[in-house]
């Protein structure tokens, strides 16, 4: 599975966990639909869940005029994946994580999601650099 596809499936799984309260393993099984399990997909889902408190704190610090709870569920999941990559996966350049997140936001979010995600992640990039 390509990393882009793994990110899409991680988004779908994390959305199920966040909104539906589904267990992470079950959510991953739902989105892979019989395909072979992908290590990068698992790293993203379990990594976001494991570090969610730190990720959410970083997001709260860099959201202007928004609370994390007010952010659309899809955008929140996309931001969590990108922040996890930026903070915990040293082999992925910030620009790749940001570009992938913006693309996911354009596909799965509303018309303003791409710009919103990019703006938040740009601030976090500065903080992490």
């Amino acid at each position: 599975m390509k990393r882009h596809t793994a990110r899409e499936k991680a988004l779908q799984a994390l959305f199920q966990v966040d909104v539906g309260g589904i267990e992470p393993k079950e959510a991953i099984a739902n989105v892979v639909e019989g395909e072979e399990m992908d290590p990068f997909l698992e790293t993203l889902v379990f990594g976001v869940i494991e570090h969610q408190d730190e990720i959410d704190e970083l997001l709260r610090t860099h959201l202007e005029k928004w609370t994390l709870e007010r952010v659309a569920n899809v955008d929140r999941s996309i931001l969590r994946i990108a922040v996890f990559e930026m903070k915990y996966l040293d082999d992925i350049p910030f620009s790749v994580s940001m570009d992938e997140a913006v693309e996911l936001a354009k596909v799965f979010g509303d018309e303003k999601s791409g710009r919103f995600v990019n703006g938040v992640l740009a601030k976090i990039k500065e903080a992490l650099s």
Side-chain angles (χ1 to χ4, degrees), residues 3 84-94 97:
R3 283 190 165 192
F84 170 73
E85 286 185 24
M86 293 166 74
K87 188 169 169 78
Y88 299 102
L89 301 181
D90 296 333
D91 64 323
I92 302 173
F94 286 177
S97 298

Side-chain angles (χ1 to χ4, degrees), residues 107-119:
V107 172
F108 293 99
D110 66 23
E111 68 277 353
K112 296 180 181 177
S113 291
R115 289 183 60 201
F116 174 73
V117 165
N118 188 59

Side-chain angles (χ1 to χ4, degrees), residues 47-124:
V48 166
I49 291 168
E50 179 181 344
H51 297 286
Q52 187 168 326
D53 290 341
E54 302 98 64
I55 292 167
D56 285 357
E57 185 57 38
L58 193 57
L59 286 169
R60 282 187 179 94
T61 304
H62 294 89
L63 285 170
E64 288 183 16
K65 302 176 188 170
W66 285 87
T67 63
L68 188 58
E69 294 70 28
R70 267 192 65 216
V71 173
N73 294 328
V74 169
D75 293 349
R76 186 171 52 240
S77 293
I78 291 168
L79 287 167
R80 285 175 174 157
I81 292 168
V83 171
F84 170 73
E85 286 185 24
M86 293 166 74
K87 188 169 169 78
Y88 299 102
L89 301 181
D90 296 333
D91 64 323
I92 302 173
F94 286 177
S95 60
V96 171
S97 298
M98 291 175 66
D99 289 347
E100 288 285 334
V102 170
E103 288 307 310
L104 287 173
K106 287 178 181 177
V107 172
F108 293 99
D110 66 23
E111 68 277 353
K112 296 180 181 177
S113 291
R115 289 183 60 201
F116 174 73
V117 165
N118 188 59
V120 173
L121 293 177
K123 291 176 187 155
I124 291 172

Side-chain angles (χ1 to χ4, degrees), residues 23-49:
E23 289 296 315
K25 285 186 180 185
E26 183 183 345
I28 292 171
N30 290 343
V31 299
V32 295
E33 300 170 339
E35 291 179 49
E36 190 174 316
M37 204 54 75
D38 182 78
F40 186 62
L41 167 60
E42 288 183 314
T43 296
L44 292 177
V45 172
F46 291 114
V48 166
I49 291 168

